[in-house]
Amino acid sequence: MTITQSAKKHSVFRNRIYEVAKKIPRGKVVTYAQLAALAGNPKAARAVGTAMKENPYMPVVPCHRVVGSDGSMKGYAGEGGVRKKVQMLHEEGVIFNGNRVDLTKSQWKNNTFF
DNA sequence: CATTTGACAGGAA
DNA sequence: CTTCCTGCCAAAT
């Protein structure tokens, strides 16, 4: 098993992170901190990064829609790395400002969340 | 239980 | 704008 505990049982936090990540709409992005906050831990941005890297739900969880607080790419464990990540986002209609995502226009505003 | 590590964030120089 | 440093968290060893 390459993944932490294999795609079976996950910690509550991680599970939430994946659940929220799955809801990210196409063409929009969220920051690690934002995702962490939605998951219940506003300070666990770092942990979110780890969770994304391990991402056991590759096809289900759009981990490429998670960017840095400034809209910059921090990494992508998938094929093609960050390069591919940028391309995918661009394909989805995410607005880029140079090498970073224009959060002003492409950051996901999550209102209906519980 | 103690340490180390990493796809983070924010502030200071 | 780039670099460095500090704080925070979960997971792995």
Side-chain angles (χ1 to χ4, degrees):
Chain A
M1 6 194 145
T2 326
I3 313 173
T4 318
Q5 307 164 17
S6 97
K8 228 187 200 181
K9 160 195 165 185
H10 320 290
S11 296
V12 186
F13 280 124
R14 257 184 149 157
N15 206 323
R16 292 196 152 196
I17 291 171
Y18 296 132
E19 289 302 308
V20 178
K22 281 193 292 188
K23 302 171 187 172
I24 305 173
R26 186 169 172 284
K28 293 289 180 180
V29 300
V30 294
T31 67
Y32 294 92
Q34 188 185 348
L35 183 53
L38 292 172
N41 287 331
K43 300 286 189 177
R46 221 162 187 174
V48 172
T50 306
M52 289 291 99
K53 179 182 170 191
E54 306 269 309
N55 176 18
Y57 306 105
M58 259 307 220
V60 195
V61 179
C63 50
H64 61 277
R65 294 185 189 145
V66 186
V67 301
S69 61
D70 58 346
S72 60
M73 307 324 214
K74 292 301 180 178
Y76 184 63
E79 191 182 325
V82 179
R83 220 201 94 98
K84 184 71 177 177
K85 183 173 178 180
V86 177
Q87 185 186 308
M88 292 171 82
L89 291 175
H90 211 289
E91 290 293 314
E92 294 186 0
V94 175
I95 308 301
F96 272 78
N97 195 339
N99 217 8
R100 303 174 191 150
V101 175
D102 189 334
L103 296 178
T104 305
K105 300 173 184 172
S106 301
Q107 181 169 36
W108 179 40
K109 277 106 182 166
N110 179 359
N111 4 338
T112 52
F113 179 67
F114 50 98

